[in-house]
């Protein structure tokens, strides 16, 4: 079971306690445990959605050709999380998503398939980070620029 916990922890970044519970519920089946963790992530995101997210970062991404770029405001609840590498990674990935996929608004962005994992929508990606970081995360706005 320890190997399974380590493997799922590396994959999800979730707490050892949450992973252990999911593995116990799944009878040791790692695939089923991942499904349980995903469904809990949706539940956690739902519960946290009403919490105020007043901290955050402004992130930008410039494509290698220097002809396309994006800026994003991403909110969270605390300055501590705003400075974390996980939150900054999410902000960077979302700015890259915006530069690549040119969504017209937040709703369209949330419904797009994530460019780094086509099995996830951007909304599902954000829900995973909400579960991982324990805070509400909201997109405050974005702009895309091109030459």
């Amino acid at each position: 079971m320890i190997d399974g916990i380590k493997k799922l922890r590396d994959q999800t970044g979730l707490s050892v306690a949450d992973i252990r519970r999911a593995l116990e519920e799944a009878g040791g089946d790692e695939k089923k445990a991942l499904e349980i963790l995903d469904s809990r992530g949706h539940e956690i995101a739902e519960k946290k959605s009403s919490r105020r997210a007043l901290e955050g970062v402004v992130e930008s991404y410039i494509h290698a050709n220097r002809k396309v770029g994006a800026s994003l405001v991403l909110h969270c609840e605390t300055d501590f999380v705003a400075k974390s590498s996980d939150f900054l990674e999410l902000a960077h990935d979302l700015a890259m998503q915006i530069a690549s996929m040119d969504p017209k608004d937040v709703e369209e962005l949330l419904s797009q398939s994530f460019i780094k994992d086509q099995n996830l929508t951007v909304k599902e990606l954000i829900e995973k980070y909400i579960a991982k970081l324990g805070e509400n995360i909201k997109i405050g706005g974005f702009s895309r620029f091109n030459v």
Side-chain angles (χ1 to χ4, degrees):
M1 184 180 246
I2 292 173
D3 289 337
I5 291 172
K6 183 177 180 342
K7 182 178 175 185
L8 291 176
R9 172 109 168 108
D10 290 343
Q11 263 183 290
T12 66
L14 296 173
S15 75
V16 171
D18 287 341
I19 293 168
R20 184 181 323 114
R21 275 193 296 271
L23 275 169
E24 287 170 357
E25 273 183 53
D29 183 337
E30 291 176 16
K31 186 176 179 181
K32 190 171 181 181
L34 265 176
E35 291 171 6
I36 291 168
L37 291 168
D38 279 346
S39 71
R40 285 196 185 133
H42 295 298
E43 292 168 14
I44 291 168
E46 182 78 24
K47 287 178 186 174
K48 294 187 185 292
S49 68
S50 64
R51 291 169 47 176
R52 295 178 56 157
L54 301 176
E55 292 295 329
V57 296
V58 174
E59 178 67 27
S60 62
Y61 172 81
I62 308 296
H63 188 66
N65 69 6
R66 316 241 355 116
K67 300 214 180 250
V68 177
S71 292
L72 162 79
V73 176
L74 189 62
H75 292 286
C76 60
E77 296 175 40
T78 64
D79 190 43
F80 176 76
V81 166
K83 293 177 181 177
S84 73
S85 60
D86 287 329
F87 187 78
L88 296 173
E89 175 184 50
L90 173 63
H92 179 77
D93 285 347
L94 292 176
M96 187 175 10
Q97 175 85 22
I98 293 160
S100 298
M101 301 303 291
D102 193 17
K104 301 302 176 217
D105 54 33
V106 172
E107 186 176 310
E108 183 181 338
L109 172 61
L110 293 173
S111 67
Q112 289 179 342
S113 292
F114 179 46
I115 57 174
K116 289 185 170 181
D117 181 351
Q118 296 294 305
N119 295 319
L120 282 178
T121 65
V122 171
K123 181 180 181 187
E124 291 167 337
L125 174 71
I126 293 171
E127 287 174 347
K128 285 181 178 287
Y129 276 88
I130 291 170
K132 184 176 186 177
L133 298 172
E135 289 195 6
N136 191 16
I137 298 172
K138 294 195 183 266
I139 296 171
F142 63 84
S143 295
R144 183 180 184 271
F145 309 94
N146 65 319
V147 176

